[in-house]
Amino acid sequence: MGLVAGTEAGAHAARTRALAVLRIRSTALAVALLPAAVAVVLLAGSLTGRIPDGSAFAAARPAVTAAALVVLALAVVVAAVVVRARPALSPTVPVPEETAPDLYRLVRDLADRLDVPAPSAIALTPDCDSWLEDRTHPAHRARPAPGGRPHRPAAPVLVIGSPFLWWMRVAELRALLAPVVAGTGPSAQPDIAAARRFVRGLDAAVAVAAGRPLLAFVGWTARLLLHSCRDHAAEMERGVAAAASERAQTVDYGLRIVAQEQVGLAYAGWDRLLNRVALPAWRMGRWPSRLDAGVVSALTELSRRDRLAEGFASRLGERPACDLLEEPGVIDEAASLLAARLFHGGPDRPCPGWTPVSWSQYPEEVVDRKWRLEAARLHRVLEDVLDDLTACPAGAVPVEDGTPAPPTVARVLDRLTGPAGPGVGERLGARLSAELAREAGHRTGGGRPPGGPGARGADGPRFDGLVPLFPLQPPRSDRELLTDHVTAMICCAAVDTAGAVPGLDWLDGPALLVGGARRADLARTVLSLVEDGDGEPLRAWLGEVGVRPEKPVRLG
């Protein structure tokens, strides 16, 4: 009884707020029609003789009529833009029913248990979130089949975070989706649906009017109406969420607590995978084609390392939710490509300079190549810095003979620990930052190379006109760039002279493997060199691993 009362209370609060939004719409319509109503009254009074000619009302009639026509014209323009403006859609990967019949069956069974309409379709998003998205606007209609009518979904689309399908078990996914699917009930309520359409139309109208002087009045009006109904719309959505949550308590409530714990874990692993593993590949013009499968490996590793996550990996013996898909590999690849588009700005399809890479190829195709290119950049920039310092008497460094200096770790060590070491380090960091900015500007500034949509630079391609919607990391500092490049030079030397191999750590990204084990202690010695000018810890590390710092490094 209490559950029913709670559900009804939330639905009633949502409907009350929806009516408040609709009243604002009605008030705006009344204001637009008011001058026309006054003009009609004046005209009717003149025609019936109640307003004599020569009176003030008769004199005002032409001006009022003209004002009414202007206001009506503006109102028609605003209404047309609001109605026709296409609300923004979240970038998603559509999942047709024939590719996931079991997933659709699970969602429909869930809707039946909750006694709400089933979602009209299912889509995936490369993020750790799930929601309902209304796509009933005429602009969102699917293309009709030959001889058929355009399809207009009657219910919202269920958007599911793709990492959930790979990490969560079937029962956990069902429990997690219950409150989301329960939201289709309030969405079918006519007043709530109308209020949502009005708010979405205003939001879309603001976007349409942005940067268009001719539509400045439309943008101003839409923003004013949005501001007026903002609080009511927010309270309406809270009421909808409360009603859906109350209704969903009848389905797998206890299991939902466990599923919510998995959401936090999935988000942590997904964030690490994107920042530490995917981002280096994207910068190289490669995109990992199995990100969702990789999140399972990342979270399993996190469960092994983190005592708080201990035991979560034991669930992996149960049926994963991705088994509900007919071809999980195809869906994973599409979601991985969309993730690269959203978080890095890559194109929406494979092309020259933007190709997929499997996890088995990642160490060779991404890690080793990344190290070689960064080592080459460090060597090139070091030459420029030394030339500048040699030409400047105040910061002179020893002049080498005229032969080109080989790219060696020993040379980098000597320059960063010598008398001019601090100055060399600062100049190196600044030059590396400027070099990367120049390469990025070259890649985005215009010219396309033959055979590809983007110009490839030393740190990978940046494609013309494409920017990430949700950038992952802020720009790196000069010191961070120098640290990364010195580390890359040392890793190349270890691979060339000490039998080390490039590897992949699921939580930390590119890794150096010596004797099959990851050497994470390299970072500490490089920091001592870059920040303090102390090269002894690094020299000791090189001797322990067996790296020959005097041997030239093979550059990419």
Side-chain angles (χ1 to χ4, degrees):
M1 189 69 180
L3 175 61
V4 174
T7 304
E8 291 179 351
H12 177 71
R15 186 169 181 271
T16 300
R17 293 294 184 167
L19 291 174
V21 172
L22 296 179
R23 279 195 296 272
I24 292 174
R25 183 184 68 177
S26 300
T27 301
L29 178 61
V31 170
L33 293 177
L34 181 60
V38 174
V40 169
V41 170
L42 293 177
L43 179 62
S46 297
L47 293 177
T48 59
R50 294 181 178 275
I51 299 178
D53 292 339
S55 66
F57 290 110
R61 188 178 66 240
V64 172
T65 302
L69 292 175
V70 172
V71 171
L72 280 178
L74 291 175
V76 169
V77 171
V78 172
V81 173
V82 171
V83 171
R84 296 177 61 85
R86 181 172 184 167
L89 288 182
S90 304
T92 56
V93 176
V95 182
E97 185 170 358
E98 59 270 17
T99 66
D102 291 343
L103 180 59
Y104 274 81
R105 190 176 301 113
L106 179 146
V107 172
R108 287 182 181 134
D109 291 345
L110 191 55
D112 289 341
R113 292 175 63 182
L114 294 168
D115 193 25
V116 296
S120 60
I122 298 175
L124 299 185
T125 179
D127 203 354
C128 294
D129 197 4
S130 297
W131 65 88
L132 292 172
E133 184 162 275
D134 192 310
R135 299 182 179 180
T136 58
H137 191 276
H140 298 153
R141 293 177 182 177
R143 291 183 178 179
R149 294 182 177 181
H151 172 66
R152 183 175 181 177
V157 173
L158 174 62
V159 181
I160 306 174
S162 61
F164 294 158
L165 286 177
W166 270 259
W167 176 245
M168 290 190 170
R169 309 299 97 182
V170 172
E172 293 171 348
L173 181 67
R174 181 175 58 245
L176 183 70
L177 293 180
V180 183
V181 174
T184 60
S187 298
Q189 209 281 332
D191 294 328
I192 294 176
R196 283 176 165 174
R197 283 196 300 271
F198 178 59
V199 172
R200 285 197 304 272
L202 292 176
D203 186 66
V206 171
V208 169
R212 300 182 180 181
L214 293 178
L215 295 179
F217 179 77
V218 174
W220 177 82
T221 305
R223 285 192 296 270
L224 177 63
L225 292 174
L226 270 178
H227 179 76
S228 300
C229 63
R230 178 180 57 193
D231 293 338
H232 295 299
E235 290 299 326
M236 177 185 70
E237 296 301 339
R238 290 191 188 98
V240 168
S245 179
E246 289 289 343
R247 183 181 291 273
Q249 288 187 19
T250 60
V251 178
D252 300 330
Y253 180 72
L255 187 57
R256 192 172 308 124
I257 299 175
V258 178
Q260 290 294 340
E261 294 177 349
Q262 296 303 319
V263 170
L265 187 65
Y267 184 85
W270 183 247
D271 183 68
R272 290 286 289 267
L273 186 74
L274 292 181
N275 281 284
R276 308 292 181 85
V277 178
L279 190 57
W282 294 338
R283 287 172 173 163
M284 303 298 300
R286 308 298 299 272
W287 52 276
S289 58
R290 294 293 185 270
L291 277 180
D292 291 304
V295 79
V296 178
S297 299
L299 291 172
T300 304
E301 181 66 15
L302 181 63
S303 301
R304 186 182 67 82
R305 296 185 194 179
D306 190 344
R307 183 176 56 84
L308 296 177
E310 202 172 315
F312 284 146
S314 61
R315 312 157 29 265
L316 298 181
E318 304 171 20
R319 186 189 182 196
C322 63
D323 277 359
L324 300 172
L325 305 173
E326 290 291 302
E327 297 184 70
V330 174
I331 298 295
D332 193 359
E333 184 170 349
S336 300
L337 184 56
L338 180 58
R341 175 66 182 90
L342 294 179
F343 299 114
H344 183 64
D348 58 359
R349 61 181 59 87
C351 55
W354 186 245
T355 55
V357 60
S358 65
W359 293 126
S360 60
Q361 298 172 321
Y362 186 95
E364 185 66 27
E365 296 291 329
V366 176
V367 179
D368 186 75
R369 184 162 167 259
K370 170 182 181 293
W371 288 342
R372 303 289 176 184
L373 292 176
E374 289 183 347
R377 186 186 295 116
L378 177 63
H379 176 67
R380 183 174 65 253
V381 171
L382 179 60
E383 290 293 319
D384 295 339
V385 169
L386 293 181
D387 288 344
D388 292 345
L389 290 176
T390 301
C392 176
V397 297
V399 181
E400 300 170 348
D401 57 30
T403 60
T408 65
V409 172
R411 188 163 181 266
V412 174
L413 264 169
D414 292 342
R415 296 311 180 193
L416 291 179
T417 57
V424 172
E426 290 180 6
R427 287 172 177 261
L428 272 177
R431 280 293 184 92
L432 287 171
S433 182
E435 180 81 1
L436 285 172
R438 184 189 63 79
E439 292 170 1
H442 173 71
R443 291 189 292 269
T444 59
R448 295 173 180 262
R456 179 179 298 280
D459 201 29
R462 178 71 66 175
F463 296 88
D464 294 343
L466 297 176
V467 295
L469 300 181
F470 311 103
L472 288 178
Q473 291 182 339
R476 291 169 288 179
S477 67
D478 294 353
R479 181 169 293 180
E480 289 172 333
L481 287 173
L482 178 58
T483 301
D484 290 345
H485 284 70
V486 172
T487 301
M489 174 73 82
I490 296 166
C491 289
C492 291
V495 171
D496 293 343
T497 66
V501 295
L504 168 61
D505 184 281
W506 289 109
L507 296 177
D508 294 326
L512 180 68
L513 304 181
V514 179
R518 181 189 173 202
R519 294 302 298 257
D521 54 344
L522 173 60
R524 174 180 52 82
T525 64
V526 175
L527 283 176
S528 296
L529 173 66
V530 172
E531 295 184 353
D532 305 325
D534 182 7
E536 292 309 313
L538 180 56
R539 288 190 173 95
W541 187 91
L542 295 172
E544 177 186 346
V545 174
V547 177
R548 300 180 61 183
E550 75 283 356
K551 298 289 287 184
V553 170
R554 179 173 59 85
L555 303 178

